[in-house]
């Protein structure tokens, strides 16, 4: 049950000129009525890439921005 236990969502960012791709994990933990805590983590898709070059921070910012936009569009105040 998402309302009590939370959820975990996994995904992949594709390879680019700067990386071999990243694995992304979102953990959602309910905090009460209409509030949740979201943790976003990324790591290289393959262990052969040892230098991040700031790509993880960029991926986290992208996901956080998308979540923020979705929350704004679905909030009662947006209607």
């Amino acid at each position: 049950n998402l309302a009590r236990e939370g959820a975990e969502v996994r995904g992949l960012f594709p390879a680019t000129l700067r990386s071999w791709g990243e694995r992304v994990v979102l953990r959602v933990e309910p905090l009460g009525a209409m509030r949740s805590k979201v943790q976003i983590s990324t790591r290289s898709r393959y262990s052969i890439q040892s230098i991040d070059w700031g790509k993880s921070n960029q991926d986290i910012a992208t996901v956080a921005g998308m979540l923020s936009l979705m929350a704004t569009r679905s909030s009662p105040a947006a209607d």
Side-chain angles (χ1 to χ4, degrees):
N1 184 338
L2 176 60
R4 287 185 302 216
E5 300 170 14
E8 184 173 285
V9 178
R10 296 173 179 266
L12 298 172
F13 273 95
T16 66
L17 294 175
R18 294 184 346 169
S19 78
W20 289 97
E22 288 79 36
R23 297 179 189 277
V24 181
V25 178
L26 283 77
R27 290 182 184 87
V28 181
E29 178 184 335
L31 297 177
M34 302 298 293
R35 291 185 59 217
S36 297
K37 174 181 172 182
V38 178
Q39 293 179 312
I40 305 168
S41 61
T42 67
R43 67 170 217 234
S44 180
R45 197 168 175 181
Y46 302 103
S47 60
I48 59 173
Q49 182 173 340
S50 60
I51 300 175
D52 182 77
W53 304 109
K55 187 72 171 90
S56 289
N57 288 338
Q58 180 183 5
D59 293 340
I60 289 171
T62 298
V63 173
M66 291 171 27
L67 289 173
S68 179
L69 181 62
M70 290 169 53
T72 301
R73 288 185 176 172
S74 65
S75 71
D79 294 334

